[in-house]
Amino acid sequence: MKRLLITGAAGALGRALRPRLALLAETIRLADIAPADVTGPNEEWMHCDLAEPWAVYAMVAGCDGIVHLGGISVERPFDEVVTGNIVGLYNLYEAARAHGLPRIIFASSNHTIGYYPQTDRLGPDAPFRPDGLYGVSKCFGESLARLYFDKFGQETALVRIGSCTTEPMDHRMLSTWFSHGDFASLIEAAFRSPVLGCPVIWGVSANDSCWWDNSHLAWLGWRAKDNAEAWREKIETNVAKPTLDKSMARFQGGAFTDNPIFKE
């Protein structure tokens, strides 16, 4: 690619992925509403509020691919979720349509299905069971991406991220952990594929106790390599295991199911 856009580049996940994606394009365009350090030799910076259509239009101009990490990433009041994850995503897809339909990696979430019990193993066709307004916004995002694929041919990888951290930190993450390396290799595979379509992809590493089935992705040529099991002894030694009546042991969305509807 000539230019790859990473939105939400100032966030923790954006900062972790930037060096891993540097070789995918001649120029990496970093965008966020917050300031970010531009340190890579092929990085450029754009300030952008996703709620501003013309700012998003300018951000997407000249880009051959988009890794969309921007928006609200946790449970927040409704107005914030709507602005960042619904209005902002609509603006992104309209900008992409205006600029030749660059392929998009959409950071969706396991919180689209957070109310499934941890005893269930889910495929990509499991109906939504969001665990909060944040999860609802990601359900909207996946539906919007599907609309733009069916109506305009806009290709998107819908990556339902589990827990994308440096290492798993609790018992739930032994099932949901998604290493930075596995996410970066998935992004590379999605851009490399001659045809992508609009697949649901579970954003999870090759964990022994995983709840999610990615066997439908053989055609993509991607397989996760890391495994949370390497941290099991550390977690079991240092982290108290939740009792079976707690959300962290009952629901795939964990503690998100405990959140109220936040108000301003």
Side-chain angles (χ1 to χ4, degrees), residues 1-5 22 24-29 42 44 62-65:
M1 287 181 282
K2 292 286 187 180
R3 178 174 281 103
L4 173 65
L5 169 64
L24 292 187
E26 294 177 11
T27 301
I28 304 296
R29 175 173 290 174
N42 64 334
E44 63 181 21
C63 295
D64 305 300

Side-chain angles (χ1 to χ4, degrees), residues 118 170-172 174 232 235-246 248-249:
Q118 294 182 8
D170 56 37
H171 291 82
R172 175 177 170 271
L174 291 172
R232 179 177 291 278
I235 290 170
E236 292 185 343
T237 300
N238 298 300
V239 182
K241 189 172 184 178
T243 56
L244 294 178
D245 62 321
K246 300 299 184 182
M248 287 290 283

Side-chain angles (χ1 to χ4, degrees), residues 201-219:
I201 301 171
W202 297 105
V204 67
S205 288
N207 307 324
D208 287 359
S209 59
C210 182
W211 304 318
W212 306 319
D213 183 3
N214 267 332
S215 60
H216 62 294
L217 293 178
W219 58 271

Side-chain angles (χ1 to χ4, degrees), residues 86-129:
I86 293 181
V87 175
L89 192 69
Y90 167 76
N91 289 338
L92 182 79
Y93 271 83
E94 277 295 279
R97 183 164 74 95
H99 290 296
L101 305 176
R103 190 171 287 183
I104 297 173
I105 312 299
F106 172 53
S108 186
S109 173
N110 72 94
H111 296 293
T112 57
I113 50 80
Y115 265 112
Y116 279 95
Q118 294 182 8
T119 51
D120 284 7
R121 183 167 174 82
L122 305 182
D125 298 326
F128 293 134
R129 291 186 68 177

Side-chain angles (χ1 to χ4, degrees), residues 158-199:
L158 306 172
V159 184
R160 291 181 180 170
I161 298 172
S163 307
C164 197
T165 54
T166 302
E167 63 182 64
M169 296 176 287
D170 56 37
H171 291 82
R172 175 177 170 271
M173 286 189 186
L174 291 172
S175 298
T176 64
W177 184 58
F178 191 28
S179 73
H180 295 147
D182 281 338
F183 194 5
S185 69
L186 171 59
I187 291 169
E188 181 179 358
F191 282 127
R192 182 181 63 235
S193 180
V195 177
L196 180 64
C198 192

Side-chain angles (χ1 to χ4, degrees), residues 242-261:
T243 56
L244 294 178
D245 62 321
K246 300 299 184 182
S247 60
M248 287 290 283
R250 294 178 60 201
F251 298 114
Q252 296 192 8
F256 271 54
T257 61
D258 293 329
N259 287 325
I261 298 297

